[in-house]
Amino acid sequence: MKKYLMDLKVVENIRLHPKYCLLKLTSDKTLPEMVPGQFVQVRVDGSSQTFLRRPISVNYVDRKANELWLLIQMIGEGTRRLSEYVPGETMNLMLPLGNGFSVPQTATSINLLLVGGGVGTAPMLYLGEVLKEIGFEPEFLLGARAKEDVMQLDEFEKFGKVYVTTEDGSMGEKGFVTNHSILREKKFDKIYTCGPKPMMVAVAKYARSSGTECEVSLENMMACGIGACLCCIENTVKGNVCVCTEGPVFNINQLTWQI
């Protein structure tokens, strides 16, 4: 898929949480084709401490409004600066990068579960819409520390049934995503997941034990996005690969995780 270097204009900056914001970006040109699971590399302007671009998952693509949505978690100087952009300002992005999730071309009767934790819920929204448009009835399992950390719940509910777990029990079922009762009550044919590595390993372990196909979106540090810097190396059954070019999405059978 062709890569582009584009200046996008900020349409809206929505503060969803003290540590999260949602940036909606647009262009005078039609946005390039993007698939769920891909990411962009954003140049951080106005920060003397930030020299490298920041990798951000594609949260959603609104084709009617010609908008790209990015869910930003403020964890350092670079992402903090991104959270300060205001409508009308311009951001420079390299996009789209990486390989996305495997999406069936036609709907079947299989059950699909999309599992996200923390900012790892971001790529699940666009994936859910694409699956819904094909004719599937995707279900979502979102994990967070507390109620206030559950992001974009109303958006997810547009595309399928949503289950929630919180570590403190303030919303949904208490515990981690792999503790949710839906995993005992229903058989899923395929699971897609993104989030903290311990969570993804636990989901992969559940998938392996239940004979369920599973794809994970890795969040290794990706400094360049094109496989040049070798920061994001992951060990696979075929040896070490760059997550930014060979992933970020992998079938769990490709990985050497102890699951």
Side-chain angles (χ1 to χ4, degrees):
M1 185 176 289
K2 186 177 179 180
K3 299 176 180 61
Y4 298 82
L5 197 61
M6 300 181 67
D7 286 330
L8 300 186
K9 183 173 65 177
V10 178
V11 176
E12 196 171 5
N13 182 344
I14 306 171
R15 185 58 61 95
L16 301 177
H17 179 280
K19 294 183 179 179
Y20 292 89
C21 72
L22 176 65
L23 291 177
K24 297 185 178 182
L25 311 173
T26 193
S27 172
D28 294 334
K29 301 177 181 179
T30 301
L31 291 173
E33 188 66 28
M34 288 172 266
V35 299
Q38 288 187 307
F39 67 100
V40 304
Q41 290 278 129
V42 185
R43 191 178 70 202
V44 184
D45 297 326
S47 172
S48 60
Q49 301 178 39
T50 309
F51 303 101
L52 301 174
R53 291 175 180 264
R54 290 297 183 265
I56 308 291
S57 295
V58 173
N59 176 223
Y60 186 69
V61 180
D62 186 334
R63 288 295 171 191
K64 291 182 180 179
N66 196 43
E67 288 181 355
L68 167 64
W69 295 8
L70 302 178
L71 182 63
I72 309 293
Q73 181 183 17
M74 291 161 268
I75 56 177
E77 174 63 21
T79 48
R80 184 198 61 76
R81 173 66 188 103
L82 294 180
S83 75
E84 296 174 345
Y85 276 74
V86 299
E89 286 192 299
T90 298
M91 303 180 73
N92 183 267
L93 285 75
M94 187 189 304
L95 77 165
L97 299 173
N99 298 304
F101 294 103
S102 300
V103 177
Q105 296 304 302
T106 56
T108 62
S109 59
I110 64 174
N111 296 318
L112 303 176
L113 182 66
L114 284 56
V115 183
V119 75
T121 61
M124 298 298 136
L125 184 63
Y126 187 32
L127 176 59
E129 188 210 33
V130 169
L131 292 171
K132 182 74 172 180
E133 287 183 341
I134 294 172
F136 289 97
E137 294 293 334
E139 296 178 70
F140 302 92
L141 177 53
L142 310 180
R145 291 183 178 180
K147 178 180 179 179
E148 58 268 22
D149 300 315
V150 179
M151 302 289 110
Q152 302 181 290
L153 184 59
D154 56 338
E155 297 291 342
F156 281 104
E157 290 174 338
K158 294 177 182 178
F159 307 127
K161 186 172 179 59
V162 181
Y163 307 96
V164 174
T165 65
T166 50
E167 293 178 28
D168 67 357
S170 55
M171 176 181 278
E173 296 188 12
K174 184 175 183 178
F176 302 117
V177 290
T178 47
N179 302 134
H180 199 284
S181 59
I182 190 62
L183 296 179
R184 298 187 297 273
E185 297 169 358
K186 188 168 184 176
K187 169 64 177 175
F188 290 96
D189 300 287
K190 186 167 184 176
I191 296 175
Y192 303 93
T193 187
C194 182
K197 185 173 181 179
M199 185 208 80
M200 290 193 291
V201 171
V203 172
K205 184 176 181 178
Y206 164 82
R208 179 69 58 80
S209 66
S210 61
T212 306
E213 185 179 356
C214 181
E215 290 185 0
V216 300
S217 179
L218 302 188
E219 296 185 320
N220 296 33
M221 181 179 293
M222 293 179 279
C224 71
I226 56 174
C229 69
L230 305 180
C231 288
C232 61
I233 293 296
E234 180 74 21
N235 189 26
T236 72
V237 294
K238 294 183 178 180
N240 291 333
V241 301
C242 289
V243 169
C244 65
T245 55
E246 300 303 313
V249 177
F250 294 87
N251 187 292
I252 59 171
N253 293 328
Q254 298 174 272
L255 302 174
T256 57
W257 292 356
Q258 298 300 310
I259 55 177

